[in-house]
Structures are given as C-alpha cells and as structure tokens.
Amino acid sequence: MTERLGSVFIENVQPELDAGRYAIKRVAGESLTVRADIFKEGHDVLVAVARWRQVTPAAQKTDWAEVPLTFKNNDAWEGSIPLANNGRYEFTIEAWPDLFRTWAHELKRKVDAGRDVKSELLEGAALLEGAAARAKGKAAEDHRVLAEAGARLRTPPTPDHLLVALSPDLADAASRHPDRSLARKYDKVLEVFADREKARNAAWYEFFPRSAKRDGKTHGTFKDAQGWLPYVQKLGFDTVYLPPIHPIGRTARKGRNNSLRAEPGDVGSPWAIGAAEGGHKAVHPELGTLADFRAFVDAAKAHGIEVALDLAFQCSPDHPYVKEHPEWFQHRPDGTIKTAENPPKRYEDIVNFDWMGPARDALWKELKSVVLHWVDNGVRTFRVDNPHTKPMQFWHWLIREVQDLHPDVLFLSEAFTRPKVMKALGKVGFTQSYTYFTWRLFKDELRSYLEEITSPPVSDYFRGNLWPNTPDILPENLQNAGPGAFRLRVALAATLSSVWGMYSGYELCEGRPVPGKEEYLDSEKYQLVAWDWDRPGNISEWIGKLNAVRKAHPALQQYQGLRFFESDNDRVIFYGKRSPDGLSTVLVAVSLDPYAHQEALLHVPMQWLGVNAEETYQVHELMADQRSLWQGPDVQVRLTPEQPAAIWAVYRYRRTEHAFDYFE
C-alpha cells in the first residue's frame, strides 16, 4: 500500500542557519520565535505546529512537545518555543489540513448558495466518526460529543443539523483529534542552543596574575591575585579573564618587548605553554598550585565574579607533548619541528599541532580532556586564542562534545580576522566573539557594523563582545591619548553590546605604544608590570558607574534590539535599547570627539518610546544622576571629554487608581 503523503508545502523556515547545519543561539529563559511559509493547493483550512524537545544534557532530555503556529498573513505562520533550561534543543515544523473545519466552511457556502447538502452531511458524519475513533481512550468527553454529532448527521436532515454541523465547539473538538496521516513534516530537524545568561550579559576584566604584586619586580601568585578581586568588583566587572596560567617554556623564550633573547629573570610569554613542570593541565609553579587556583576561583565567586581561562592550543618546544607525541606536530622535510608563523611575524617560542594529520583522533581527544580538566576545576568560561588558525571542524566537534556534557560552558573566540571566518566560528559554536569594534571610530561605520552584528540573521549565531583594548592591541585611537578617548570608547563598548571587556591598565589610560605599531610598549605579555590603581588621570570611577548602570537597567543587558536614532552632529552618535518586557528603556548619546566639547540636536524616537508628541515624560541621566522632563521629539545635548556620554532611563507616566505613577 502506498503511504499517504500530505500535499502541504512548508518552506522559508526561520531561523535556520546554513540549511540546518548549525544551531541557532538563544539564552535559557527566552523563547524561540519560529516562522514558516505554509500552504496547500485549494482552500483547505490548515493547522501547523512547531515540534520541539530538549536533547542535552542527557538528564534533562524531554519527549517531543508541540506549540501551535498562528497564521499571520500571506501564508506566513509564527509561534514560540519555550527554552526554559540551558542546553541543546531540536525543533521542526509539521502541518496538516483540518478536514472538519474545511468541510464546515464549504458546507456553509453551499447552504448560503441554496444547494442541497444531504450528501455533504453524510461526509461530515464520516469525518466526525473518524475523529471520535481517534479520541477514544484519550478524551472521553470529546469522544462522546463527536460520536453523538456524527450519528445525528446520519439521521434525516432537519434545520438543526446545520446548527450541529457548524458549531464552533464541535469544530474545536474535531480539531483536537486530526487525521495526521495527511500531515507533512519539514524535511529538517533544526537545532537551537540555549546558553546561560552570562553568554548574553557580562563585563570582562583581563589581568595577569603574575603582576599581582604590582611592583613590576616580584612574580605574583594566585594568592596575591585574590587581592585584586575587591578592586575588580568595585569596578563592576563580573568576569575575570586570566591569560594562560601554565608552565612557560624556556627554549626560545621571548624577552622584554618581544626581544628574541631573554635575559636572566625574564618571565617569557605565557602563551608559550609547556615545560618540564608540565603542560596544558599544569599550573606555572611561580603562580602556585592547582589547589591555589581552585581557591582563587572560589574567592572570585564569593565576590560575584566568574573566572575565565585562556585556552591556547599551542606549545612551547619544551612541552611534554613534543617528546611524548611527536606525531601530533608539524615537521619540516629535514625533520625539525615547525615553529608558528604569521609572516612577517614568527613565533620562535611556539610550535603548532598537526591538526588534520594521521594522529588527529588521539590529539583531538587529548585536547578535549584539557578542557574537561579545567571544567572539573571550576572553570566555565574559556577565551580561545586564535581559533581561526585551527580547523573549523575541530571547534565544531570540541564545543559540541563539551557542551553536551556541560551546557553551561562558554567559549569566547579571539579571532581578529576576515569577516566570514569570524562569523563561521560563531556558527560552529563559539558563544561570543571579539569584533572589529576596536577599529570602528566614526558614526556611520559604528552604526552599520553594530546594526549588522546585533540583528538577525547574524545575531542568531554571533554575539559580539566589545573590547576597546587587549594585551595584543593598543589601537591608534588610544595611543598617547587623554582620558577623553578612554572614556568615550569604554562608554560605547559598555552600551552598544551587552557583553564587553577590557584589559587592565585601560582604567589608568595606559597608552604608550611601540612606535609605529598597535602594541604596548613594555608589554605585560613579556614582563611583569607595576600597576598603580590610584595613578593620576585614571577613569576607574567612570567605569564603575558604567557597569553599575548596566546592572541596574535590563535594557542594557540585551544583545539584540539595538536601535540607532538621528542626531544633527556627525560626532555624536545616538541610540537606544529596550528590554523584551518593555519595562526598561534606555537612550544613549556618545561624543566621538575625545578632545573638544560637542553639541547635538537629538531626534527622540517618540513612536518607538510609545510617547505622544504632546506628552511629558521623565528621563533620568544616569551618569550624572540628573532628572529632567522632556516633551516633543527634539532634545539638545552637550557632551565633553570629561562627560562624553549621556545615558537616560526613560519613564512614562501612567494613571493609577488614586494618582499618577511612572514606569521605566
């Protein structure tokens, strides 16, 4: 017997990433809005559902469930899948004709046209009897109602037959027990990964624990680094990112300022991982022990801070892997091991794995065990060094393997590379990514770039973590610049995206470059640094205020939904965000001029705010803690290098039972 196939078409399913090869990203507690074009020949009434289930972690795996899709217009349907828990979900679309409603709709048209409908009533009876049979044993009341109505339609017709046949309640009962042998399923099962909240909302602070003594001479320890935590907490950061904490190789160790020759006492680059003391699962002895690291993680947690660890899959020539597993590395024709290169740069202190070589299965398994080792020691966030220089297949495999076991693990991609490569890393699973924000300075380029990465389809898989600086990058706009430059760039980073970070020294306006390069002079990558938290000209208080504002206003904790608005000055950028429930709305204006004051006429988006042109509404400028009443669409603002950003929480008045109140 030939299988019956429904003739329903299901197409243009959204969101769908690269024909379903990769998972869409969301956050636990959100819902996934699913859209599709669904239609069929003729005039049948259709029913459509989104089918979904959670598949990882295994302990939270669920059976398939369904949510209805609603017809919108022009054959477009839409519905929402709840993503209550952190983990991986599957979803697809299924649709079928509602036979009884279609019959009832046609019956009424025939009756209105004066047609004899005796035969049609018998057809309806058969449909009801089929629905009753499907309801039997599942819904007793529906079974009774459907069976009785079917029997009624088989008796000699009376005017009451039409009342029975066209009863909305009867149609509802029949629809609850459809003939789904005529259903058509979408030909793909798609995936969505629901991250935990920190994937979308976090503020990162990077520092080197070996400089924790802050004298530039004495190697710090994890115990010393614990002394930084109250300071980081005061600045308002909730994630501390540590560069590699492993033993550092001695062969070809780099000296100060990336010198090819290390002097006695030079500490080397922590990215040259591995020595006689151990490799990627070991701790640099001068930092302390593994127990000391776990104590640091616990201390950070007590301060409301999560520890992110650098994941740099590369080795010093002294790494134990080099002797134990030479087959894991690339070799030259003369048999010598290949050091890492990015011409004209050469990294003499680093050797790379042979990622796709004959020993790849064992290599990949070992590197997965490295990640799980640090997960077992309290790490749930990894900043991944140069992932664009490793195969995409590896990351797709590794991230999935780790998150299937530990869905709360997050991965930040450090890939300042070609746009499509950066996006591909997001697609294969990276939770967040560094961005080109570091080099976007002007109004139009900031707007176009941020609109691109915070809106679908890019935002379905790519979350931009905005950093104004890193240990590797001192951008030209911050070189030998005054505090105004540092204030405005951090204001943009902290408000344009819901995830942002900075490398220590930024709050001190550290901007001394290697001449002609985007690199720090006396870089901490190669030496200990003396940090004076109270250095004159620091902007620590400004940064602390920014992070406090972010924490207090849910609108700034949203990644999607960034909207840009008009200002009449090209050196003032104006934008806003709103929380999904509409209870938090924030407007932001930032001067892009670090040296002089700028004035602008802002065109307030009245319709977006839901405010009438004649309505008075209250705004609270959060950085200066000043309240004002606004009316109408035009507002004048003056920004200075000392106060380059204004952030307004918007409040509308509403009438209550006895008086007026306002809500954000």
Side-chain angles (χ1 to χ4, degrees):
M1 180 178 178
T2 302
E3 182 182 1
R4 297 173 69 189
L5 292 175
S7 58
V8 176
F9 273 71
I10 302 173
E11 60 184 28
N12 193 30
V13 174
Q14 299 294 330
E16 180 177 327
L17 183 55
D18 283 10
R21 285 193 292 271
Y22 307 115
I24 297 297
K25 289 186 176 66
R26 290 294 185 270
V27 169
E30 295 179 343
S31 60
L32 177 71
T33 298
V34 178
R35 301 178 178 88
D37 293 339
I38 303 173
F39 52 90
K40 181 183 182 295
E41 83 285 350
H43 304 285
D44 297 67
V45 177
L46 299 182
V47 177
V49 297
R51 305 188 74 237
W52 65 275
R53 64 177 178 175
Q54 185 171 356
V55 293
T56 66
Q60 293 181 323
K61 188 173 182 178
T62 65
D63 294 330
W64 285 101
E66 295 179 351
V67 294
L69 300 186
T70 302
F71 177 79
K72 307 303 286 186
N73 56 61
N74 193 26
D75 293 322
W77 295 68
E78 182 178 296
S80 294
I81 295 172
L83 306 173
N85 303 310
N86 175 205
R88 191 177 305 277
Y89 293 74
E90 294 178 339
F91 69 97
T92 190
I93 306 294
E94 187 171 348
W96 59 89
D98 188 324
L99 300 179
F100 187 77
R101 286 190 193 276
T102 300
W103 170 84
H105 178 69
E106 292 181 352
L107 177 71
K108 185 177 186 307
R109 292 174 63 192
K110 292 177 181 180
V111 169
D112 291 344
R115 296 263 302 273
D116 178 28
V117 294
K118 290 180 182 178
S119 177
E120 282 77 4
L121 290 174
L122 294 177
E123 292 175 2
L127 292 173
L128 290 169
E129 289 162 358
R134 291 187 290 273
K136 188 174 182 179
K138 300 177 182 177
E141 181 62 16
D142 282 352
H143 171 71
R144 182 189 66 78
V145 169
L146 293 166
E148 290 179 357
R152 179 71 177 275
L153 294 189
R154 289 193 179 279
T155 63
T158 70
D160 288 345
H161 281 59
L162 294 179
L163 294 177
V164 172
L166 300 178
S167 165
D169 290 341
L170 182 63
D172 289 343
S175 294
R176 286 193 287 270
H177 308 282
D179 179 2
R180 289 179 70 161
S181 68
L182 298 176
R184 174 60 62 97
K185 292 182 180 178
Y186 187 50
D187 60 3
K188 301 186 189 78
V189 174
L190 307 175
E191 290 187 337
V192 55
F193 191 84
D195 287 295
R196 59 189 173 98
E197 169 69 18
K198 265 237 168 109
R200 184 189 62 203
N201 174 33
W204 292 50
Y205 183 86
E206 177 180 4
F207 76 91
F208 288 65
R210 69 187 188 183
S211 291
K213 282 287 189 181
R214 299 194 292 125
D215 61 7
K217 300 176 182 178
T218 310
H219 198 292
T221 67
F222 289 124
K223 292 180 180 178
D224 297 322
Q226 289 187 34
W228 281 53
L229 295 173
Y231 170 72
V232 176
Q233 182 183 37
K234 184 178 179 181
L235 290 176
F237 292 96
D238 52 43
T239 301
V240 158
Y241 155 45
L242 305 183
I245 60 172
H246 317 296
I248 298 172
R250 293 171 178 82
T251 298
R253 175 176 287 193
K254 295 295 183 71
R256 291 170 176 255
N257 285 308
N258 203 17
S259 168
L260 294 180
R261 179 175 178 178
E263 299 296 332
D266 281 351
V267 291
S269 167
W271 282 272
I273 297 171
E277 297 85 354
H280 282 76
K281 297 178 184 178
V283 168
H284 189 4
E286 290 189 76
L287 289 173
T289 65
L290 187 59
D292 293 333
F293 173 75
R294 289 197 298 265
F296 176 77
V297 172
D298 291 341
K301 186 176 181 180
H303 285 83
I305 297 170
E306 182 169 327
V307 175
L309 197 61
D310 198 288
L311 192 64
F313 280 151
Q314 60 208 26
C315 298
S316 155
D318 303 326
H319 198 295
Y321 287 159
V322 175
K323 290 184 179 179
E324 296 169 2
H325 295 282
E327 71 278 11
W328 288 356
F329 297 89
Q330 295 179 334
H331 292 78
R332 299 183 181 89
D334 64 4
T336 59
I337 196 166
K338 293 182 80 172
T339 55
E341 295 186 35
N342 182 17
K345 293 182 179 180
R346 182 178 178 186
Y347 303 93
E348 295 85 357
D349 56 341
I350 293 173
V351 296
N352 284 331
F353 293 115
D354 186 3
W355 290 97
M356 304 300 287
R360 73 171 232 179
D361 289 347
L363 170 63
W364 288 20
K365 183 178 178 180
E366 171 62 16
L367 297 182
K368 172 186 168 182
S369 76
V370 169
V371 178
L372 296 179
H373 168 80
W374 293 107
V375 170
D376 290 343
N377 282 281
V379 179
R380 287 298 184 274
T381 300
F382 295 91
R383 177 270 199 188
V384 180
D385 188 65
N386 286 329
H388 58 290
T389 63
K390 289 83 176 173
M392 295 286 178
Q393 300 95 317
F394 170 74
W395 296 120
H396 191 205
W397 172 83
L398 176 73
I399 294 172
R400 189 180 187 101
E401 288 280 309
V402 172
Q403 290 185 334
D404 281 354
L405 296 171
H406 303 282
D408 58 337
V409 174
L410 311 179
F411 294 88
L412 168 62
S413 165
E414 187 256 355
F416 297 105
T417 183
R418 303 184 304 281
K420 291 181 181 178
V421 175
M422 293 172 70
K423 290 176 180 177
L425 289 164
K427 291 177 181 179
V428 301
F430 277 92
T431 315
Q432 301 169 4
S433 176
Y434 284 70
T435 71
Y436 295 138
F437 163 79
T438 313
W439 298 275
R440 296 294 186 263
L441 306 179
F442 303 109
K443 185 175 178 177
D444 288 346
E445 62 183 7
L446 279 167
R447 177 171 181 165
S448 62
Y449 183 58
L450 268 296
E451 283 180 335
E452 176 191 4
I453 67 172
T454 63
S455 302
V458 177
S459 62
D460 283 333
Y461 60 86
F462 184 96
R463 295 190 189 100
N465 190 331
L466 307 189
W467 288 66
N469 76 326
T470 75
D472 296 302
I473 302 168
L474 174 61
E476 187 176 355
N477 63 89
L478 297 179
Q479 293 184 10
N480 298 313
F486 286 83
R487 286 193 185 96
L488 78 85
R489 292 300 294 176
V490 77
L492 290 168
T495 57
L496 284 169
S497 178
S498 55
V499 283
W500 80 284
M502 69 180 209
Y503 159 54
S504 61
Y506 188 96
E507 69 273 33
L508 307 180
C509 303
E510 175 59 47
R512 296 175 301 119
V514 174
K517 296 184 177 181
E518 285 193 326
E519 296 180 17
Y520 282 94
L521 185 65
D522 300 327
S523 172
E524 194 171 8
K525 292 193 297 180
Y526 309 106
Q527 65 185 68
L528 306 180
V529 170
W531 294 115
D532 178 4
W533 293 334
D534 299 317
R535 193 159 90 185
N538 75 78
I539 60 168
S540 299
E541 183 178 353
W542 172 265
I543 292 170
K545 280 187 178 181
L546 277 171
N547 279 328
V549 166
R550 282 169 46 90
K551 289 181 180 179
H553 295 272
L556 292 174
Q557 299 162 20
Q558 309 304 312
Y559 183 71
Q560 296 191 24
L562 174 67
R563 294 283 299 273
F564 287 90
F565 309 117
E566 296 304 315
S567 79
D568 69 347
N569 185 338
D570 285 341
R571 296 185 182 182
V572 174
I573 192 167
F574 183 38
Y575 50 93
K577 286 186 174 183
R578 185 164 50 209
S579 61
D581 60 13
L583 298 180
S584 174
T585 301
V586 169
L587 296 173
V588 183
V590 181
S591 169
L592 304 179
D593 185 344
Y595 305 113
H597 82 271
Q598 293 291 329
E599 296 186 4
L601 188 67
L602 309 179
H603 190 72
V604 179
M606 306 298 285
Q607 184 175 1
W608 183 77
L609 292 178
V611 177
N612 296 324
E614 301 80 16
E615 185 177 347
T616 299
Y617 55 101
Q618 183 187 142
V619 297
H620 181 193
E621 202 292 295
L622 301 165
M623 297 301 288
D625 193 19
Q626 295 177 347
R627 294 178 182 266
S628 306
L629 295 179
W630 286 0
Q631 186 180 39
D634 294 325
V635 172
Q636 188 77 21
V637 64
R638 185 178 190 272
L639 301 171
T640 68
E642 292 72 32
Q643 292 291 334
I647 305 174
W648 297 279
V650 181
Y651 300 89
R652 291 181 57 213
Y653 290 93
R654 64 181 174 188
R655 186 183 297 275
T656 64
E657 184 177 357
H658 302 294
F660 284 93
D661 198 356
Y662 64 84
F663 63 99
E664 185 177 348

